[in-house]
Amino acid sequence: MAIIRAYLAPHPPLIFPEIGRGEERAIQATIDSYERMGAEIRSSAPDTVVVVSPHSVMYRDYLHISPGRGASGNMGAFRAPQVKVTVDYDETFVSRLCARAEEGGVPAGTEGERDPSLDHGTMIPLRFIGKGDYRVVRIGIASLPLAVHAALGRAIDSVSAELGRKTVFIASGDLSHRLKEDGPYGFAPEGPAFDRKILGLIKNNTISGVFSLEAGLCEGAGECGLRPLAVLAGVLEGRKHRSELYSYEGPFGVGYALAGFVPDS
């Protein structure tokens, strides 16, 4: 089997009540969408969940794939160390993916891990999925062209099919961080413009359009989800699929979009 489901999922730490302390109610639509995503994934009983996170180990010219048998993490950086996630890694999938990347000239692998702890961009979607029999593959992004990220996405889909894995892919990423003056990076007109573009691509089932976005627009938007989306576009390349925007909101100046993508069988 190949990829059975894919998602774009945001990662606001305050989505957890232990961190938000009531503020999470302002993103209830995102919470509801996450609950839906978690239920869909649990019902599909995947063998492997692949997460690409912009907050995992990141290099300028190398896509890092987390090595080892598994990892743990907690939200101590956000004053909630009691919020913990522990996963087992799919070592066979990781090994095959590294080999496939090398064959395709994609600079990706398990070398140079600086911190094995799970990052919040990985932990948030996995906590909504909950425990299960699945194993995890965690991948970072790089300062490489979007086309290189897409090539890794194609390799992910290929390895999933080769191994016969029921695989769910998650592109963990927020959209613009510049939607409001009181947001984390202030306001920039590119912020809402970028988010409108991404939402349009999702609604029109044309996520491959991320490769045509103007560089200035993306840079001005202050986003962290573009490269995970490029990997997702590679995963879906050449496969008919249906996409649906579950929700979008940005009350804190950051665009939170959760969307589902279902390839045709």
Side-chain angles (χ1 to χ4, degrees):
M1 299 184 73
I3 305 295
I4 57 173
R5 287 183 176 274
Y7 296 89
L8 166 65
H11 46 244
L14 60 73
I15 199 168
F16 298 136
E18 298 92 332
I19 299 170
R21 300 179 185 276
E23 284 191 86
E24 73 277 3
R25 289 193 289 269
I27 54 169
Q28 189 61 50
T30 300
I31 294 171
D32 293 344
S33 294
Y34 249 124
E35 295 288 0
R36 174 183 172 185
M37 184 196 84
E40 290 173 349
I41 294 174
R42 289 191 297 274
S43 68
S44 64
D47 303 308
T48 303
V49 175
V50 179
V51 182
V52 172
S53 169
H55 299 289
S56 184
V57 178
M58 180 179 177
Y59 288 102
R60 181 179 62 82
D61 56 359
Y62 183 74
L63 290 155
H64 187 266
I65 304 169
S66 294
R69 299 180 62 182
S72 298
N74 65 68
M75 301 295 282
F78 304 96
R79 301 180 181 178
Q82 72 274 29
V83 180
K84 302 175 181 179
V85 175
T86 299
V87 300
D88 294 321
Y89 285 145
D90 190 332
E91 296 180 86
T92 301
F93 197 114
V94 168
S95 177
R96 295 284 184 92
L97 181 58
C98 290
R100 186 60 53 84
E102 184 175 6
E103 292 168 4
V106 179
T110 57
E111 299 298 320
E113 182 169 61
R114 298 188 297 265
D115 182 0
S117 300
L118 296 178
D119 63 284
H120 73 276
T122 301
M123 287 188 284
I124 290 173
L126 291 181
R127 196 162 189 257
F128 275 96
I129 297 170
K131 294 182 179 181
D133 293 332
Y134 64 88
R135 294 180 181 271
V136 171
V137 177
R138 179 174 70 137
I139 305 172
I141 61 172
S143 299
L144 290 164
L146 298 185
V148 177
H149 289 77
L152 183 64
R154 292 192 293 272
I156 290 168
D157 186 54
S158 176
V159 169
S160 178
E162 176 189 338
L163 294 176
R165 294 283 200 271
K166 290 175 64 179
T167 303
V168 169
F169 177 86
I170 298 175
S172 176
D174 301 329
L175 300 188
S176 174
H177 290 59
R178 295 173 176 161
L179 299 180
K180 299 176 68 176
E181 290 290 353
D182 59 352
Y185 298 101
F187 174 80
E190 293 90 346
F194 174 85
D195 284 14
R196 285 194 297 270
K197 288 279 189 180
I198 297 297
L199 299 180
L201 295 177
I202 295 169
K203 292 175 181 177
N204 294 323
N205 209 35
T206 54
I207 199 61
S208 60
V210 296
F211 303 114
S212 302
L213 296 176
E214 297 177 3
L217 174 67
C218 300
E219 292 169 7
E223 51 70 36
C224 74
L226 182 60
R227 281 170 170 76
L229 273 172
V231 183
L232 185 149
V235 164
L236 296 174
E237 186 175 304
R239 301 183 65 192
K240 291 183 178 180
H241 63 275
R242 294 168 283 113
S243 61
E244 180 183 352
L245 179 65
Y246 292 7
S247 63
Y248 170 80
E249 54 192 350
F252 304 116
V254 180
Y256 302 139
L258 204 151
F261 303 79
V262 181
D264 292 345
S265 57

